[in-house]
Amino acid sequence: MKILKKNSKIGLLFVAISQLTLAADKPNIVFVITDDQGYGDLACNGHPYIKTPNIDELAAESVRLDDYHVFPTCSPSRAAIMTGHWANRTGVWHTINGRSLLRKNQVTIASMLKSSGYTTGIFGKWHLGDGYPFRPQDRGFDEVYIHGAGGVGQTPDVWNNAYFDGGYYHNGVIKPAKGFCTDVFFRQGTRFIEESIAKKKPFFAYISTNAPHGPLHCPQRYMDLYKGKSDKLAAFYGMITNVDDNVGKLRRKLKELGAEKNTIFIFTTDNGSATGSNEFNAGMRGAKNSAYDGGHRVPLFLHWPAAQMNAEKRIKTLTHAVDIAPTLLDLTGAAKAEGVQFDGVSIARLLKEGDVKDWKDRYLITDSQRVVDPIKWRKSAVMSQGWRLVNGKELYAIDVDPDQKNDLAKQLPERVLEMRASYEKWWSDIEPGFAESAAFIIGSPHAPEVTLTSHDWISKSTPPWNQEGVRRLTKWVSKIYEGYWSVDVEQTGRYEVTLRRWPKEADTAINLGMAPGKNVPGASKPYRATKGDALDIRSATIATDDTILTTFELDASKSAVVQNVELKAGPQKLKAYFTLADKKQVGVCYLTIRKLD
């Protein structure tokens, strides 16, 4: 109020009291999202074997989006959920190769909620970048407890991590943890919720499990629930039942804390089934990475007793991941960031009223690129209410043909043309941004030291994106190393560059191999169970934009080599590679860079 001076104690007290009052009215948000679990991988969606009693109970007490779609793989879906934008617009259309990095101009739902008084936390999987400015702590999250990259044991993750008794990044610092990864992430999320309630702060708890993504590791007691199934299915189903147990525990805790009534509790998944679709797929065609509905139609349940969203209501209207951010802002009353224009719309009205006759039909698009540069029509689906155009050629009446067997393109050419036109408009809108490579920022006071890994090499080939690849690095030895990282140097000056074959915490000489690590329960071996190759490395090279800054012989008996180089400000391609005794080259898997004072 203008009658109170800005610096007066009374004015500050008034503002503080007002903020507390507003905070008390805001609903909390618990957002649980699993990895590689499809629409059919739940008992409440008809699965004949998977045991999910707690999620089934949630579904029976929730608004259910029955025609909700994401992208066919994980990072793009997460980018859309976080921003309300088409994944391709955000720079995220792959899971590796520097194409899973959420561009710095993208504002997340976490940032917007934080600006509106929420405390925000992420627990588990982020997969939108591991270095500045892509980390969750750079994008609106107050509390960060995550594994690296897209899964436990991938290259940016804590070295030798498997699903049990691992180490995780807690606000940027590696902390050891006991137990199975899903249990750990829910435990940390619950701690955050308890602390937020104690502080009387509305919270956004984003609990994002890496399960049931492979490798298929699972506590034995959960696998034992599925005796008679293959080890692969038993582990996959077991991981889902473990998630279910944790959902039940968390819901009971919210009730115990008196927070259940005014908490928006959401359960969903990030793409179609990666493992279970051959046994049951809810009558759909396709699985993870597919343009057919089985690749991108997933469950979403929303429970919020304070808004009378605590009884089963099934929404048949077509919805999309780009609708999540605008909807959460609408439900919470949080403000949209200045300049943000969503690609999605708020579906709050549907959640409150159910399917409505005057809801405007729209064309929604999903695609699976998984390449360095997007390709028009690649694994795409144009969707409208009741219709699917797949790859620009195949037309399906999805309500009567859910398994997409009867292609009607020849019978209905005008509908095909109309749906193709919507895709053309969409593509022309987002295509100009494809040339903009999401860049790690170097030399920023916000992140004085940045570590880059082979997960984000931009190259024509698949990089060593997991720790098995780092161990088997001889597979990536070639005549000429062509990969690079996209970086943006904030300040011209001298930089210290540290090169490693193995990560810092491994503390292993550059030229040495490594013994296999221990196995864990489940159907597949952890990445650490692979023997590490020894390499006869003789020299190293650091270059930018194909200009060699330095080439030097090195002592490969050391775990790291350090060089100081001069870098000019601005965007550039940073390349670092080792040269072997036979003159062949291999990229540096771990590079750390910091500006010298």
Side-chain angles (χ1 to χ4, degrees):
M1 296 177 70
K2 290 184 179 180
I3 58 171
L4 293 173
K5 292 182 180 179
K6 242 183 181 181
N7 61 350
S8 74
K9 291 182 180 179
I10 297 174
L12 291 173
L13 180 62
F14 176 83
V15 170
I17 292 171
S18 298
Q19 287 177 339
L20 284 172
T21 302
L22 287 171
D25 295 332
K26 292 179 183 296
N28 306 306
I29 305 168
V30 174
F31 196 107
V32 177
I33 180 169
T34 67
D35 196 359
D36 280 4
Q37 180 179 1
Y39 181 91
D41 294 329
L42 289 168
C44 59
N45 281 341
H47 201 287
Y49 305 115
I50 293 179
K51 297 173 175 63
T52 51
N54 294 292
I55 297 173
D56 298 345
E57 182 180 2
L58 173 67
E61 299 172 355
S62 295
V63 181
R64 300 177 58 169
L65 301 184
D66 280 349
D67 200 7
Y68 168 70
H69 295 259
V70 290
F71 287 83
T73 58
C74 47
S75 292
S77 295
R78 292 158 196 274
I81 288 168
M82 278 289 139
T83 66
H85 288 153
W86 303 118
N88 300 25
R89 189 189 302 283
T90 72
V92 180
W93 53 77
H94 200 349
T95 56
I96 53 174
N97 281 123
R99 300 307 191 230
S100 61
L101 308 176
L102 187 67
R103 287 183 181 140
K104 66 179 182 179
N105 65 347
Q106 295 294 310
V107 184
T108 68
I109 183 62
S111 291
M112 289 182 273
L113 290 170
K114 181 176 179 177
S115 296
S116 295
Y118 279 77
T119 182
T120 56
I122 176 174
F123 309 92
K125 176 170 176 169
W126 171 240
H127 206 184
L128 295 173
D130 297 283
Y132 183 74
F134 308 113
R135 306 166 302 174
Q137 56 264 46
D138 306 320
R139 312 309 287 268
F141 285 99
D142 299 308
E143 178 87 1
V144 175
Y145 191 99
I146 59 170
H147 60 71
V152 173
Q154 293 190 11
T155 306
D157 195 25
V158 178
W159 184 250
N160 273 345
N161 237 5
Y163 285 35
F164 296 83
D165 300 335
Y168 302 102
Y169 297 105
H170 188 192
N171 297 327
V173 179
I174 296 173
K175 295 289 181 68
K178 287 289 185 182
F180 185 59
C181 53
T182 300
D183 298 332
V184 172
F185 299 145
F186 271 91
R187 188 163 67 239
Q188 291 292 331
T190 301
R191 172 192 56 78
F192 167 78
I193 289 168
E194 290 176 319
E195 292 174 358
S196 301
I197 291 172
K199 295 174 183 175
K200 295 182 169 51
K201 290 275 289 182
F203 59 81
F204 173 51
Y206 181 70
I207 302 174
S208 174
T209 69
N210 59 298
H213 192 292
L216 298 173
H217 305 319
C218 181
Q220 190 62 47
R221 68 187 182 92
Y222 286 99
M223 290 188 68
D224 289 344
L225 296 173
Y226 299 99
K227 288 180 179 178
K229 297 295 177 186
S230 67
D231 285 350
K232 184 177 180 181
L233 283 176
F236 181 71
Y237 294 167
M239 282 194 279
I240 292 171
T241 299
N242 171 259
V243 169
D244 181 82
D245 278 354
N246 278 287
V247 167
K249 288 176 187 176
L250 181 53
R251 292 192 71 206
R252 290 190 290 274
K253 175 59 71 172
L254 289 168
K255 289 179 182 178
E256 177 189 316
L257 295 169
E260 188 231 5
K261 185 175 181 181
N262 201 30
T263 294
I264 299 170
F265 194 111
I266 295 171
F267 174 86
T268 189
T269 74
D270 68 348
N271 49 246
S273 184
T275 304
S277 61
N278 287 337
E279 184 155 75
F280 181 78
N281 204 27
M284 296 183 294
R285 178 179 177 180
K288 177 181 179 178
N289 197 32
S290 169
Y292 298 100
D293 266 30
H296 46 82
R297 180 187 171 212
V298 299
L300 190 145
F301 311 141
L302 186 148
H303 174 82
W304 185 16
Q308 289 75 53
M309 297 181 194
N310 56 344
E312 186 177 55
K313 182 192 298 178
R314 306 192 73 146
I315 307 300
K316 304 296 183 184
T317 303
L318 179 69
T319 55
H320 195 287
V322 295
D323 299 329
I324 298 301
T327 300
L328 289 178
L329 293 185
D330 200 352
L331 293 178
T332 61
K336 183 172 70 170
E338 186 178 354
V340 169
Q341 292 184 333
F342 291 123
D343 290 319
V345 300
S346 171
I347 58 168
R349 184 184 173 204
L350 294 176
L351 297 173
K352 294 170 184 175
E353 300 177 24
D355 293 312
V356 290
K357 291 182 179 180
D358 61 344
W359 187 263
K360 185 179 178 181
D361 193 15
R362 52 191 174 138
Y363 289 117
L364 297 171
I365 295 171
T366 187
D367 69 351
S368 182
Q369 291 290 337
R370 294 180 79 84
V371 289
V372 171
D373 298 308
I375 300 169
K376 195 173 184 180
W377 295 108
R378 178 177 170 83
K379 290 189 176 182
S380 64
V382 180
M383 302 176 287
S384 66
Q385 198 68 47
W387 295 95
R388 305 288 187 266
L389 180 70
V390 177
N391 299 327
K393 300 175 182 178
E394 305 166 30
L395 181 67
Y396 300 99
I398 201 71
D399 292 340
V400 296
D401 183 23
D403 51 355
Q404 294 173 282
K405 289 182 177 179
N406 185 22
D407 180 4
L408 300 175
K410 290 183 179 178
Q411 291 96 309
L412 299 169
E414 290 185 2
R415 182 171 291 275
V416 171
L417 287 174
E418 183 178 328
M419 297 181 82
R420 282 182 63 90
S422 73
Y423 181 95
E424 292 283 0
K425 183 179 179 181
W426 173 82
W427 184 265
S428 64
D429 181 37
I430 62 173
E431 185 182 22
F434 294 163
E436 178 193 344
S437 200
F440 294 95
I441 295 178
I442 308 300
S444 169
H446 299 293
E449 185 174 283
V450 174
T451 295
L452 311 176
T453 76
S454 56
H455 179 279
D456 296 311
W457 287 350
I458 299 175
S459 60
K460 295 178 181 178
S461 60
T462 300
W465 57 271
N466 64 48
Q467 292 175 19
E468 180 181 4
V470 176
R471 285 171 170 269
R472 300 179 65 190
L473 197 58
T474 49
K475 288 181 62 179
W476 280 268
V477 172
S478 60
K479 187 175 180 180
I480 298 176
Y481 169 67
E482 296 181 341
Y484 64 90
W485 293 287
S486 179
V487 301
D488 190 352
V489 179
E490 196 161 288
Q491 303 176 60
T492 297
R494 296 286 289 174
Y495 287 80
E496 179 187 87
V497 182
T498 303
L499 310 180
R500 292 183 173 91
R501 152 67 194 289
W502 307 102
K504 184 178 181 180
E505 62 266 28
D507 193 26
T508 300
I510 290 171
N511 62 351
L512 290 183
M514 190 174 289
K518 292 181 180 179
N519 205 353
V520 296
S524 52
K525 289 183 177 180
Y527 297 129
R528 70 187 184 196
T530 299
K531 181 182 177 182
D533 300 330
L535 293 172
D536 190 3
I537 294 171
R538 299 298 179 88
S539 66
T541 298
I542 302 171
T544 56
D545 293 334
D546 298 323
T547 298
I548 292 176
L549 302 178
T550 179
T551 295
F552 57 96
E553 294 183 358
L554 55 84
D555 181 354
S557 65
K558 294 183 177 180
S559 63
V561 292
V562 180
Q563 284 284 296
N564 295 338
V565 298
E566 184 80 22
L567 295 178
K568 293 182 179 180
Q572 50 206 279
K573 298 175 181 178
L574 176 63
K575 178 184 289 191
Y577 57 88
F578 295 124
T579 299
L580 282 61
D582 61 2
K583 306 301 182 185
K584 289 184 178 179
Q585 299 173 357
V586 67
V588 171
C589 290
Y590 299 90
L591 179 149
T592 301
I593 184 167
R594 69 180 183 91
K595 190 175 187 303
L596 296 171
D597 294 331

